[in-house]
């Protein structure tokens, strides 16, 4: 908070307290209805719900402040959006009384080429903030959001190195989210790509938005683009959602036990990175607060760390009363979180503590699984990440994997994204068949190790 103008911080906190006190008084007096204008109460769309303060000079962190009604999992949703926009959280603070929350995070772009539309980021953040007029005054369950339509983007073009990443980069810039994909290379060196996408701006039903998308692709693909079409997805989308067939051996390797042993020599532990990741500490302390359990985490830093922690707490239905995400120190992070169960009680049950501890350590150790295996005569790269209970997958995985392979000079013969259930969890599985015509001898264990390490380090932001 030291980087703030002190008077601005105090004024903002004063407004928060006034809103909380006013809302509580309204509820006490049973004043249902037009107690206050939602704009004055901090409802989504008001000026103070999300405030983004740009760094004063190049290299300075930008400060994002979220000031809105509280709900379980809100911090996770905010961190997911920030990760999806290609930003890295350097530090953060969150405080709530269970009624209103105040979140501050400092962010910097992770990608040098990132072209960020800050107004779109703000709109996305505002969209996940509860409406206080519904949340407080009416005290109703949030209405179920309308299902987002899925569109099929189909294009046919000549193949080249890095093509799939260039296409993915265009989708990312246009704020089009990939739900699943099917990429096939024909024997004559052409590529048929089927991307099932949703529009974060919810405008893809308009001809203007579709033409913008097609035009962007044509400008990137140039003369190699043969055709590009956009249409609402039909029954073929459900067909592409079918569970992939993984051999038992591959599934065991990909979804292996949460803990690794020093003797384990599988593909997931091919580098010193995994040894560093094993240095994680998760502790609980119920002696410091009468109402909350202190959760302390010390671990190696990676991009999306705060998202991984808050996603786990969200899935366990645990609320955060206060939290601090300290700046990185020699590649390590400290997190101090005062948490409680949804019923307002501390976490005193040892079985619940052990279950949460085990899951958090697993997320710190390997939030993403990366292996290379054989698929018949071909070499296949597989990447897997756990899916939130809400059904959302991890952002930018496809982007980072295709970027890694482009940098390594490896062409992708085919690619697909599927969902897979293992170990009582749902996983998002990315499958890439690698083209043998590259600088790497894909049958060599040392070459495979190098590819796995490059992909993992890119995903982890190292």
């Amino acid at each position: 908070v030291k980087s703030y103008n002190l008077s601005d911080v105090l004024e903002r906190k004063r407004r928060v307290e006034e809103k909380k006190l006013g809302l509580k008084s309204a509820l006490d007096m049973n004043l249902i209805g037009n107690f206050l204008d939602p704009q004055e109460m901090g409802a989504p769309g008001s000026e103070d719900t999300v405030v983004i303060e740009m760094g004063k000079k190049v290299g300075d962190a930008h400060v994002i402040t979220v000031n809105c009604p509280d709900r379980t999992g809100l911090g996770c949703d905010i961190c997911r959006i920030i990760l999806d926009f290609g930003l890295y959280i350097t530090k953060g603070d969150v405080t709530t009384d269970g009624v209103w929350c105040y979140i501050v995070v400092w962010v910097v772009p992770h990608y040098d080429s990132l072209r960020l539309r800050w107004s779109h980021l703000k709109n996305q953040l505002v969209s996940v903030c509860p409406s206080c007029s519904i949340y407080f005054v009416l005290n109703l369950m949030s209405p179920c959001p309308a299902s987002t339509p899925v569109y099929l983007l189909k294009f046919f073009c000549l193949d080249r190195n890095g093509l799939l990443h260039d296409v993915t980069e265009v989708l990312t810039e246009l704020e089009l989210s990939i739900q699943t994909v099917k990429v096939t290379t024909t024997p004559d060196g052409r590529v048929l790509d089927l991307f099932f996408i949703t529009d974060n701006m919810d405008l893809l039903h308009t001809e203007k938005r579709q033409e913008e998308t097609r035009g962007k692709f044509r400008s990137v693909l140039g003369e190699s683009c043969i055709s590009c079409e956009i249409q609402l997805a039909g029954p073929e989308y459900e067909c592409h959602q079918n569970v992939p067939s993984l051999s038992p051996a591959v599934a065991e390797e990909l979804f292996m036990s949460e803990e690794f042993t020093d003797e384990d020599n599988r593909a997931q532990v091919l580098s010193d990175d995994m040894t560093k990741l094993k240095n994680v500490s998760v502790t609980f302390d119920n002696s410091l607060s009468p109402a909350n359990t202190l959760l302390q985490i010390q671990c190696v830093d990676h991009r999306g760390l705060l998202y991984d922690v808050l996603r786990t707490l969200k899935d366990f239905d645990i609320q955060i009363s206060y939290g601090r995400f300290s700046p990185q120190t020699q590649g390590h992070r400290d997190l101090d979180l005062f948490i409680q169960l949804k019923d307002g009680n501390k976490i005193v049950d040892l079985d619940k503590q052990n279950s949460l501890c085990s899951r958090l350590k697993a997320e710190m150790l390997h939030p993403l699984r990366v292996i290379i295996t054989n698929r018949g005569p071909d070499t296949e790269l597989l990447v897997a990440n756990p899916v939130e209970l809400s059904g959302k997958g991890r952002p930018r995985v496809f982007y980072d994997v295709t970027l890694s392979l482009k940098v390594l000079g490896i062409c992708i013969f085919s690619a697909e994204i599927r969902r897979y259930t293992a170990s009582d969890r749902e996983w998002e599985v990315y499958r890439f068949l690698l083209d043998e015509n590259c600088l790497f001898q894909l049958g060599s264990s040392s070459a495979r190790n190098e590819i796995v390490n490059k992909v993992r380090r890119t995903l982890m932001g190292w």
Side-chain angles (χ1 to χ4, degrees), residues 104-121:
V104 186
V105 290
W106 286 256
V107 301
V108 294
H110 178 74
Y111 305 90
D112 293 335
S113 61
L114 186 66
R115 292 187 291 273
L116 192 65
R117 290 184 278 193
W118 292 98
S119 61
H120 292 192
L121 170 60

Side-chain angles (χ1 to χ4, degrees), residues 41-86:
M41 294 164 61
S46 69
E47 182 181 351
D48 283 346
T49 300
V50 175
V51 177
I52 300 178
E53 299 182 26
M54 309 300 294
K56 294 182 179 179
K57 60 180 184 295
V58 176
D60 282 357
H62 312 295
V63 184
I64 300 174
T65 304
V66 179
N67 162 27
C68 69
D70 193 22
R71 65 169 171 80
T72 302
L74 176 60
C76 168
D77 296 340
I78 289 171
C79 289
R80 186 186 189 280
I81 291 171
I82 290 173
L83 180 61
D84 196 15
F85 271 77

Side-chain angles (χ1 to χ4, degrees), residues 94-96 283-296 310 313 318-324 335-341 345-347:
V94 55
T95 182
T96 177
T283 59
F284 296 87
D285 191 336
N286 280 305
S287 64
L288 296 179
S289 169
N292 295 279
T293 297
L294 172 60
L295 170 64
Q296 292 182 299
L310 299 187
L313 296 180
I318 290 174
Q319 297 177 322
I320 300 174
S321 299
Y322 173 77
R324 171 156 292 180
L335 283 82
D336 298 293
L337 304 171
F338 284 88
I339 60 176
Q340 59 181 212
L341 299 172
N345 292 319
K346 295 197 291 186
I347 306 174

Side-chain angles (χ1 to χ4, degrees), residues 258-387:
E258 313 271 318
E259 303 286 347
F260 293 142
T261 63
D262 292 336
E263 293 79 18
D264 207 331
N265 193 34
R266 302 185 194 185
Q268 295 247 16
V269 283
L270 294 174
S271 71
D272 293 338
D273 293 335
M274 299 307 294
T275 303
K276 292 188 298 183
L277 285 171
K278 293 173 69 173
N279 298 323
V280 56
S281 171
V282 179
T283 59
F284 296 87
D285 191 336
N286 280 305
S287 64
L288 296 179
S289 169
N292 295 279
T293 297
L294 172 60
L295 170 64
Q296 292 182 299
I297 300 174
Q298 297 174 317
C299 61
V300 174
D301 189 29
H302 67 260
R303 183 160 51 90
L305 171 61
L306 190 54
Y307 166 71
D308 290 324
V309 172
L310 299 187
R311 169 173 54 83
T312 303
L313 296 180
K314 178 183 178 182
D315 286 350
F316 273 74
D317 218 10
I318 290 174
Q319 297 177 322
I320 300 174
S321 299
Y322 173 77
R324 171 156 292 180
F325 186 54
S326 301
Q328 183 191 101
T329 303
Q330 296 182 339
H332 287 74
R333 286 280 193 179
D334 290 338
L335 283 82
D336 298 293
L337 304 171
F338 284 88
I339 60 176
Q340 59 181 212
L341 299 172
K342 194 172 183 179
D343 60 12
N345 292 319
K346 295 197 291 186
I347 306 174
V348 295
D349 184 272
L350 291 180
D351 289 339
K352 289 183 179 179
Q353 288 187 14
N354 291 335
S355 177
L356 178 57
C357 178
S358 176
R359 178 62 63 83
L360 285 169
K361 284 186 175 180
E363 297 302 333
M364 301 306 98
L365 182 61
H366 48 158
L368 299 122
R369 318 290 180 96
V370 184
I371 66 171
I372 282 187
T373 186
N374 294 325
R375 184 175 172 183
D378 301 313
T379 301
E380 184 174 41
L381 171 71
L382 295 104
V383 178
N385 59 269
V387 176

Side-chain angles (χ1 to χ4, degrees), residues 80 307 385-388 391-395 397 419 428 430:
R80 186 186 189 280
Y307 166 71
N385 59 269
V387 176
E388 293 180 32
K392 295 179 181 178
R394 188 186 188 88
V397 175
R419 294 290 175 95
E428 204 162 42
Y430 300 76

Side-chain angles (χ1 to χ4, degrees), residues 19-302:
K19 290 170 185 174
K20 291 192 296 185
L21 291 172
L23 287 165
K24 288 178 179 178
S25 298
L27 291 174
D28 290 341
M29 293 185 294
N30 295 317
L31 296 179
I32 306 300
N34 299 322
F35 167 63
L36 281 177
D37 185 323
Q39 297 293 322
E40 294 297 326
M41 294 164 61
S46 69
E47 182 181 351
D48 283 346
T49 300
V50 175
V51 177
I52 300 178
E53 299 182 26
M54 309 300 294
K56 294 182 179 179
K57 60 180 184 295
V58 176
D60 282 357
H62 312 295
V63 184
I64 300 174
T65 304
V66 179
N67 162 27
C68 69
D70 193 22
R71 65 169 171 80
T72 302
L74 176 60
C76 168
D77 296 340
I78 289 171
C79 289
R80 186 186 189 280
I81 291 171
I82 290 173
L83 180 61
D84 196 15
F85 271 77
L87 294 169
Y88 168 75
I89 298 176
T90 62
K91 60 179 179 177
D93 285 280
V94 55
T95 182
T96 177
D97 60 358
V99 177
W100 203 279
C101 73
Y102 191 78
I103 300 172
V104 186
V105 290
W106 286 256
V107 301
V108 294
H110 178 74
Y111 305 90
D112 293 335
S113 61
L114 186 66
R115 292 187 291 273
L116 192 65
R117 290 184 278 193
W118 292 98
S119 61
H120 292 192
L121 170 60
K122 178 173 180 175
N123 291 338
Q124 288 291 310
L125 292 171
V126 168
S127 71
V128 299
C129 295
S131 167
C132 60
S133 58
I134 295 176
Y135 187 85
F136 288 107
V137 180
L138 299 181
N139 195 26
L140 296 176
M141 293 286 291
S142 296
C144 295
S147 58
T148 304
V150 178
Y151 293 84
L152 170 60
L153 168 65
K154 177 169 60 176
F155 63 89
F156 193 45
C157 65
L158 301 177
D159 194 17
R160 61 173 170 77
N161 182 36
L163 171 66
L164 191 53
H165 176 70
D166 294 343
V167 170
T168 305
E169 191 169 32
V170 173
L171 291 172
T172 302
E173 290 179 3
L174 291 172
E175 297 181 47
L176 298 170
S177 297
I178 301 172
Q179 303 304 312
T180 188
V181 63
K182 179 68 176 179
V183 177
T184 305
T185 304
T186 63
D188 61 350
R190 303 185 183 194
V191 177
L192 175 63
D193 288 3
L194 304 177
F195 281 88
F196 294 89
I197 57 177
T198 55
D199 185 4
N200 293 340
M201 298 172 63
D202 198 23
L203 292 173
L204 204 53
H205 61 282
T206 65
E207 181 59 34
K208 179 180 179 182
R209 176 73 160 156
Q210 290 191 16
E211 185 54 41
E212 176 194 14
T213 302
R214 288 190 291 263
K216 185 70 173 178
F217 273 106
R218 293 191 189 103
S219 66
V220 171
L221 298 176
E223 296 181 355
S224 66
C225 181
I226 299 172
S227 66
C228 179
E229 302 173 16
I230 301 174
Q231 63 191 55
L232 271 173
E236 67 273 17
Y237 177 60
E238 297 299 327
C239 175
H240 280 272
Q241 288 290 86
N242 290 340
V243 175
S245 57
L246 292 176
S247 70
V250 170
E252 180 183 1
E253 184 173 0
L254 192 61
F255 308 116
M256 65 171 60
S257 172
E258 313 271 318
E259 303 286 347
F260 293 142
T261 63
D262 292 336
E263 293 79 18
D264 207 331
N265 193 34
R266 302 185 194 185
Q268 295 247 16
V269 283
L270 294 174
S271 71
D272 293 338
D273 293 335
M274 299 307 294
T275 303
K276 292 188 298 183
L277 285 171
K278 293 173 69 173
N279 298 323
V280 56
S281 171
V282 179
T283 59
F284 296 87
D285 191 336
N286 280 305
S287 64
L288 296 179
S289 169
N292 295 279
T293 297
L294 172 60
L295 170 64
Q296 292 182 299
I297 300 174
Q298 297 174 317
C299 61
V300 174
D301 189 29
H302 67 260

